Amino acid sequence: MKSTALAHPNLALVKYWGKRDDALILPHQSSLSMTLSPLSVRTTVAFGVGSADEVELNGYVAKGSERDRVLRVLDAVRAEAKDAKLGPARMVSRGDFPAAAGLASSAAGFAALAVAARAAAGLPADPRAASILSRLGSGSACRSVQGGFCEWMRGERPDGTDSYAVQRFDEKHWPELRMVVAIVNRDEKEVKSRDGMKNAVETSPYYSAWVKDAEAEVVRARELIARKDLQALGELCERNAWRMHATSLAADPPLCYLLPKTLELIHSLREQRKKGVPVWFTLDAGPNPCILTDAANEVAAEAVARACGAIEVVRCVPGGDAKLQTEHL
Ligand code: PMV
């Protein structure tokens, strides 16, 4: 009745930005990501304890929408395991990186939660079911159930049963690839991604163009990863990030996640490329750029980030699947 799982965050190379169904978290477009090691989140779930559900995230009792999102996942597990009298759950989750640093900690947390909760309920290990389950907590989490490079297929069905992530390449496919996460600002972002994307969907005149190209963009990225073409993948990543941010810059009210230091780093990477250093950025809904490069250039990438004022830098490699652990929290 008690299980623990560890999952890594993931970073989208082709982004998800906009829901067609807010309740089920169904996206308008497919997306493709890289799972990031060594960053990880561990989550323990025990059913049949206490008198009500308890949710603890990084040492704090979760409240409001954070708690509600966890309960949605636990309720879905209780519904699926209908024979078992599971009862109230106690869930404890801890990340080894700052939650508010823009490092997609919620993706790793919900993937670990889905894998742990299914195991604790006696449900069979099933990456597709775990991906669908984690999606109910945070959309991008569905891409953290498996390692390497995962594609979240938007799906067509209104019930979301065909909207989940599949692994296209495992973490051994391209071990030299690096993602250097540059933290230029640690503040909690003012506009959460779920609000930012809703604003873009509802008010941005660029949104339809963004969606129109998304499926082809995923196919292009998949082909570039298959042939390990770093330059072309880097160019695609930058373009995709700019286009996602462009939808929000053109929304009403306009929304800009970039800070001066973000732009400074983006420009420095361009200068480095002129000198032949292979470094490209991607940027989620926050100010902290992530630099796509290879093992031979990760030290140079970190130096550029620090020179532009990064207060913390984490060099990541392609990470593995979410896994069950023997030690509990
Ligand atoms: O899953 P959410 O609600 O954290 O949204 C993620 C949105 C982006 O990180 C900006 C893009 C992505 O595909 O991960």
Side-chain angles (χ1 to χ4, degrees):
M1 291 293 243
K2 188 183 205 177
S3 295
T4 299
L6 176 146
H8 300 289
N10 73 79
L11 190 74
L13 309 177
V14 177
K15 312 274 185 206
Y16 137 64
W17 195 240
K19 299 176 179 65
R20 64 179 201 273
D21 184 318
D22 288 331
L24 289 174
I25 312 196
L26 299 177
H28 275 294
Q29 76 277 326
S30 302
S31 53
L32 190 151
S33 62
M34 170 178 167
T35 304
L36 303 182
S37 181
L39 304 169
S40 67
V41 172
R42 276 187 306 151
T43 302
T44 297
V45 177
F47 285 108
V49 285
S51 52
D53 290 326
E54 286 173 47
V55 179
E56 187 193 305
L57 301 176
N58 291 317
Y60 295 97
V61 176
K63 296 199 183 75
S65 69
E66 263 188 332
R67 178 182 156 86
D68 293 346
R69 288 156 79 199
V70 170
L71 295 194
R72 280 194 75 191
V73 173
L74 294 173
D75 286 342
V77 169
R78 282 187 280 244
E80 190 176 340
K82 44 190 170 301
D83 297 341
K85 298 247 177 307
L86 292 173
R90 178 168 157 68
M91 179 272 205
V92 183
S93 184
R94 240 169 264 160
D96 64 2
F97 55 104
L103 287 173
S105 56
S106 67
F110 279 106
L113 169 63
V115 171
R118 284 184 59 85
L123 295 168
D126 178 345
R128 181 191 297 192
S131 181
I132 290 176
L133 187 60
S134 60
R135 196 201 71 222
L136 298 174
S138 161
S140 55
C142 75
R143 300 184 311 235
S144 267
V145 170
Q146 287 181 288
F149 300 86
C150 293
E151 205 172 298
W152 175 10
M153 300 175 302
R154 69 184 291 280
E156 302 298 331
R157 294 183 207 136
D159 65 0
T161 48
D162 59 352
S163 188
Y164 54 88
V166 291
Q167 183 183 63
R168 292 294 181 203
F169 308 93
D170 71 17
E171 65 276 19
K172 294 187 205 80
H173 168 70
W174 196 352
E176 308 81 19
L177 195 66
R178 293 290 180 273
M179 190 62 84
V180 178
V181 180
I183 312 295
V184 300
N185 186 294
R186 271 188 196 288
D187 298 347
E188 190 94 42
K189 57 190 166 212
E190 267 170 52
V191 183
K192 289 190 186 307
S193 21
R194 81 189 82 127
D195 300 322
M197 61 176 84
K198 196 170 168 60
N199 182 34
V201 173
E202 288 171 1
T203 70
S204 180
Y206 299 168
Y207 192 76
S208 52
W210 160 258
V211 170
K212 199 166 159 225
D213 191 44
E215 305 311 307
E217 191 84 324
V218 167
V219 174
R220 288 191 284 264
R222 194 200 299 155
E223 286 166 4
L224 298 175
I225 295 168
R227 51 172 212 260
K228 303 183 198 173
D229 186 337
L230 179 59
Q231 165 146 0
L233 184 65
E235 287 167 3
L236 181 150
C237 267
E238 289 209 347
R239 184 184 68 210
N240 189 266
W242 276 128
R243 287 183 180 174
M244 178 195 112
H245 284 270
T247 67
S248 286
L249 288 169
D252 186 13
L255 179 56
C256 178
Y257 284 105
L258 284 76
L259 291 175
K261 280 187 181 156
T262 317
L263 263 182
E264 198 186 322
L265 180 44
I266 288 171
H267 283 282
S268 289
L269 295 177
R270 188 176 298 172
E271 291 308 308
Q272 291 296 317
R273 289 202 295 273
K274 285 186 194 153
K275 297 181 201 156
V277 185
V279 280
W280 291 268
F281 81 93
T282 180
L283 189 68
D284 273 355
N288 300 318
C290 296
I291 306 168
L292 188 75
T293 187
D294 58 14
N297 291 283
E298 62 178 327
V299 172
E302 171 164 357
V304 181
R306 295 216 182 260
C308 292
I311 44 183
E312 191 175 336
V313 176
V314 190
R315 303 201 306 240
C316 298
V317 302
D321 296 351
K323 290 186 262 318
L324 288 172
Q325 311 274 290
T326 46
E327 271 177 42
H328 304 298
L329 292 173

